[in-house]
Amino acid sequence: MSKEFNIAICGSARVGKSTLVNALCGKQVARTSNSLCAQTDRMEKYLINGNDHTSSISYTITIYDTPGIESWTEDHVRTYFSRIMNTSKPLCMIYCASPGSFAQLDQLQWLVDTCIKSNIFCALVCTNKYSGGSERRKQVLQDFHSLLTHYHNMTRDETNIKYYGDVALCTSVNSIVYEDRELNVRKEAEGINELIFGILTSLKDDKIVAWCFTISDNQSFWITMQAKIIEFFKLAQPVAIKFWDEHGKDTTLSLIPLILTFIKRRL
Ligand SMILES: Nc1nc2c(ncn2[C@@H]2O[C@H](COP(=O)(O)OP(=O)(O)OP(=O)(O)O)[C@@H](O)[C@H]2O)c(=O)[nH]1
Ligand SMILES: [Mg+2]
């Protein structure tokens, strides 16, 4: 048996959508570019497959990396989203805006509105957070916050992530090392593991499994967040550590089966 899910990545051109996809997946799935013209000039699809060895169900996750949203008319957005929603079960919509990028608040509002009404989790992310200065970053985050509070009160503010019930979150990330040689500034990648964990803890049922497979190759996530994952899913620590020791880096054979067992207990 196979189950299909999809994830939509939206936002203006050149804000760091493809770079974020690669950072989340922990491998190169999307083409990125440092040239000035938009790299993703048509919708790209990346397929990720995972097998639930405990029940022989296979999962296919399609990530839709979209061209810059400003080139869309409202009709485009609607057609595009209806298509995504009809093809398979949407896991979440990730919207990216970098500090100072042209705000597309009307488009964003329509997207968030559509997603929340259709029960699709929204993650609004200020990407490439060190580009453009801290004031602009704060402005992007403020815009996200004001929009999301129309749908749900802010319920938590943890590890630089604001949560709005289980309908949405917003945060800021630096997906890869940021360097400004003139100003002698260097910032390591940050916020990615927290974002993955934030989405993981906000999803329900088999959407959790599909998300686990999406990020199953991200070693940094599974290693860094191991203790939090064990705690959140109430996994018995000795069992989890034993699996981890036996299967080492292969998370699809170590932690994911335990998370699956946890989810099935709740279904
Ligand atoms: N340091 C740093 N650079 C980033 C980050 N995100 C994106 N960039 C850089 O910004 C440029 C554009 O990134 P992309 O990921 O290609 O942006 P995109 O939104 O996919 O662009 P299009 O597909 O052309 O619309 C590339 O040179 C990236 O290396 C980030 O978080 N940190
Ligand atoms: Mg791109």
Side-chain angles (χ1 to χ4, degrees):
M1 188 185 151
S2 83
K3 293 191 179 188
E4 295 190 358
F5 292 84
N6 56 47
I7 297 172
I9 314 285
C10 306
S12 295
R14 311 220 23 87
V15 292
K17 299 181 293 297
S18 304
T19 308
L20 177 65
V21 169
N22 291 336
L24 293 172
C25 295
K27 60 183 177 190
Q28 187 83 17
V29 290
R31 221 158 26 115
T32 62
S33 157
N34 54 14
S35 73
L36 277 176
C37 55
Q39 177 67 34
T40 315
D41 49 10
R42 58 187 172 83
M43 194 158 63
E44 305 256 7
K45 283 192 343 182
Y46 317 112
L47 284 184
I48 294 178
N49 293 302
N51 282 312
D52 171 2
H53 296 284
T54 61
S55 65
S56 63
I57 297 176
S58 70
Y59 284 76
T60 304
I61 302 101
T62 308
I63 303 180
Y64 291 90
D65 186 357
T66 67
I69 204 168
E70 62 271 358
S71 61
W72 300 5
T73 62
E74 196 164 309
D75 265 2
H76 267 109
V77 185
R78 285 172 196 233
T79 316
Y80 160 76
F81 245 81
S82 320
R83 202 160 87 214
I84 290 189
M85 288 198 277
N86 293 334
T87 41
S88 58
K89 205 149 95 182
L91 191 57
C92 67
M93 189 278 288
I94 302 178
Y95 182 88
C96 306
S98 60
S101 66
F102 184 56
Q104 292 283 325
L105 285 178
D106 49 341
Q107 301 267 31
L108 176 58
Q109 191 168 351
W110 186 87
L111 273 176
V112 169
D113 210 59
T114 308
C115 288
I116 291 179
K117 281 184 188 146
S118 310
N119 203 16
I120 302 170
F121 185 74
C122 294
L124 310 190
V125 184
C126 175
T127 39
N128 204 356
K129 65 185 276 190
Y130 291 111
S131 68
S134 64
E135 283 311 309
R136 287 168 164 175
R137 175 168 76 237
K138 279 185 203 147
Q139 187 58 52
V140 170
L141 288 168
Q142 184 54 47
D143 287 346
F144 286 168
H145 175 72
S146 316
L147 177 64
L148 293 177
T149 47
H150 288 303
Y151 298 94
H152 204 293
N153 297 337
M154 188 178 83
T155 42
R156 270 190 299 149
D157 187 351
E158 272 171 27
T159 58
N160 192 37
I161 304 185
K162 290 186 167 65
Y163 294 86
Y164 303 82
D166 53 11
V167 297
L169 64 74
C170 70
T171 188
S172 56
V173 300
N174 183 35
S175 305
I176 53 173
V177 170
Y178 175 85
E179 258 184 318
D180 185 329
R181 294 222 171 90
E182 238 167 75
L183 296 176
N184 205 17
V185 173
R186 182 187 158 93
K187 299 281 186 186
E188 297 303 321
E190 67 178 71
I192 297 293
N193 290 339
E194 291 76 6
L195 172 59
I196 295 174
F197 189 71
I199 294 177
L200 185 68
T201 57
S202 302
L203 296 174
K204 300 241 159 44
D205 308 330
D206 53 359
K207 288 185 181 177
I208 301 177
V209 186
W211 181 243
C212 283
F213 283 123
T214 308
I215 47 99
S216 66
D217 285 335
N218 191 330
Q219 288 307 316
S220 157
F221 170 75
W222 294 102
I223 293 168
T224 317
M225 306 299 273
Q226 191 188 9
K228 285 187 122 187
I229 296 164
I230 290 175
E231 188 195 328
F232 182 79
F233 289 106
K234 301 186 182 61
L235 307 178
Q237 192 153 11
V239 181
I241 303 279
K242 184 169 165 280
F243 262 69
W244 186 263
D245 286 344
E246 275 171 19
H247 299 289
K249 285 184 166 174
D250 195 342
T251 42
T252 45
L253 289 175
S254 54
L255 285 176
I256 293 180
L258 294 178
I259 295 175
L260 281 163
T261 313
F262 166 85
I263 294 163
K264 282 175 197 153
R265 268 205 311 265
R266 279 198 325 193
L267 285 177

